[in-house]
Amino acid sequence: VGKYMGGVLVPSGKIIFVPHGANDVGVFDPATRLFSTVDVSSSLPPPLACKFVGGVLAPSGVVVFVPYYEAKVGVFDPATNALSLIDISATLSDTAGWFSGGVLAPNGKVVFVPFYRHQIGVFDPATFEFKVVAISHPPETPPGYWGGVLAPSGKVVLVPHGANNVGIFDPATNLFSTVDISASLSTRSKFAGGVLAPNGKIVFVPYYAGKVGVFDPSTNSLTLFDVPASSQEGGAYLYWGGVLALNGKVVLVPYCADNVGIFDTGNSAPAYQVTGGVPKEWGPLLDPHFNKF
């Protein structure tokens, strides 16, 4: 089991590494290139493996750790290095979270992306309240999304991993819908994470798909771009997560690939309108440089 899964930039300029298998929170200072850890083993009950997947910076400055194996939400305060655990097992009726990343919604709540669960999680970092929203999906298979992206409309787009559809969740109404993509792509383990591009479209990072997905949330259409064969020599499982560079290109993080992937979206500056009741002061959060898995 890997040490960390996901990182979050906090107001101090440091990056918080989200513990997955590790018994500590990683803290990296890009200014000094110093790395330190905060031991949180005393706060975490056994088993200690696969605790969290991904984190989200809340408006209050705390970092919300998204539960994976444990049915506990982690709330880490980078100002005090204190970790609080919020038990959500009663709401889930389960001992595990099975969520795969989170997205800060315009209403200030954190949306948990379902992986092995037929429910979307909604966590309020201001009150520590948690609830679930049931989603329509065949009961014999898990939804299988990995990561989500806040679209300019204020809706959350769920990235298909095992799913044969793109999930769309409206945090304002708690309504969930899907866009069927099975005719275009039905392979397993398709994508792992997504990135909001400057043109308002969402880039799906290719994992087993062998193709970059570009989803247009304004038209609910998916376009696929082949990954060159020369870039697939490291193995079938290519990239995991992506980051938008300052030049407008999306950098794909290698998983088994022997290379760093670079996908050109064609825009270097934002060219979309923000709607969906997003507070004006939240503008930086919708800036594509800060909107990533």
Side-chain angles (χ1 to χ4, degrees), residues 174-214:
N174 285 341
L175 293 178
F176 175 78
S177 60
T178 61
V179 178
D180 190 343
I181 60 170
S182 58
S184 301
L185 186 67
S186 59
T187 184
R188 62 187 173 90
S189 307
K190 303 170 187 62
F191 308 106
V195 179
L196 177 64
N199 57 10
K201 298 178 182 179
I202 296 171
V203 177
F204 293 162
V205 178
Y207 183 60
Y208 190 74
K211 302 174 186 294
V212 175
V214 178

Side-chain angles (χ1 to χ4, degrees), residues 150-152 195-201 244-249 265-275 282-291:
L150 182 63
V195 179
L196 177 64
N199 57 10
K201 298 178 182 179
L244 188 69
L246 292 175
N247 60 6
K249 298 179 181 180
T265 62
N267 295 70
S268 59
Y272 53 80
Q273 296 296 317
V274 175
T275 59
W282 279 39
L285 291 175
L286 269 171
D287 184 297
H289 300 300
F290 292 97
N291 188 288

Side-chain angles (χ1 to χ4, degrees), residues 68 79 102 241:
Y68 186 69

Side-chain angles (χ1 to χ4, degrees), residues 19-235:
H20 185 65
N23 294 331
D24 58 71
V25 176
V27 181
F28 178 69
D29 188 340
T32 63
R33 302 182 70 178
L34 293 178
F35 176 77
S36 60
T37 59
V38 178
D39 189 346
V40 294
S41 57
S42 62
S43 301
L44 296 170
L48 295 175
C50 304
K51 294 177 278 294
F52 308 106
V53 170
V56 177
L57 179 66
S60 63
V62 301
V63 179
V64 176
F65 294 161
V66 180
Y68 186 69
Y69 192 85
E70 295 287 346
K72 293 178 173 63
V73 178
V75 179
F76 181 73
D77 188 340
T80 62
N81 285 341
L83 175 69
S84 302
L85 295 177
I86 313 302
D87 194 320
I88 58 174
S89 57
T91 304
L92 293 176
S93 300
D94 199 347
T95 58
W98 302 130
F99 297 107
S100 59
V103 178
L104 183 64
N107 57 11
K109 298 177 182 179
V110 179
V111 176
F112 293 166
V113 178
F115 186 57
Y116 280 126
R117 177 170 296 285
H118 290 80
Q119 299 159 317
I120 289 173
V122 180
F123 179 72
D124 189 337
T127 63
F128 289 0
E129 293 179 345
F130 175 79
K131 66 179 181 180
V132 293
V133 178
I135 61 175
S136 57
H137 198 277
E140 68 274 8
T141 57
Y145 303 106
W146 196 277
V149 179
L150 182 63
S153 64
K155 296 179 181 179
V156 177
V157 174
L158 309 183
V159 180
H161 188 73
N164 287 326
N165 61 74
V166 177
I168 300 176
F169 179 68
D170 188 341
T173 62
N174 285 341
L175 293 178
F176 175 78
S177 60
T178 61
V179 178
D180 190 343
I181 60 170
S182 58
S184 301
L185 186 67
S186 59
T187 184
R188 62 187 173 90
S189 307
K190 303 170 187 62
F191 308 106
V195 179
L196 177 64
N199 57 10
K201 298 178 182 179
I202 296 171
V203 177
F204 293 162
V205 178
Y207 183 60
Y208 190 74
K211 302 174 186 294
V212 175
V214 178
F215 182 73
D216 188 339
S218 66
T219 61
N220 286 342
S221 60
L222 176 70
T223 305
L224 299 173
F225 296 88
D226 289 331
V227 175
S230 59
S231 298
Q232 302 186 43
E233 295 177 354

Side-chain angles (χ1 to χ4, degrees), residues 240-258:
W240 195 286
V243 180
L244 188 69
L246 292 175
N247 60 6
K249 298 179 181 180
V250 177
V251 178
L252 310 178
V253 181
Y255 186 78
C256 286
D258 291 332

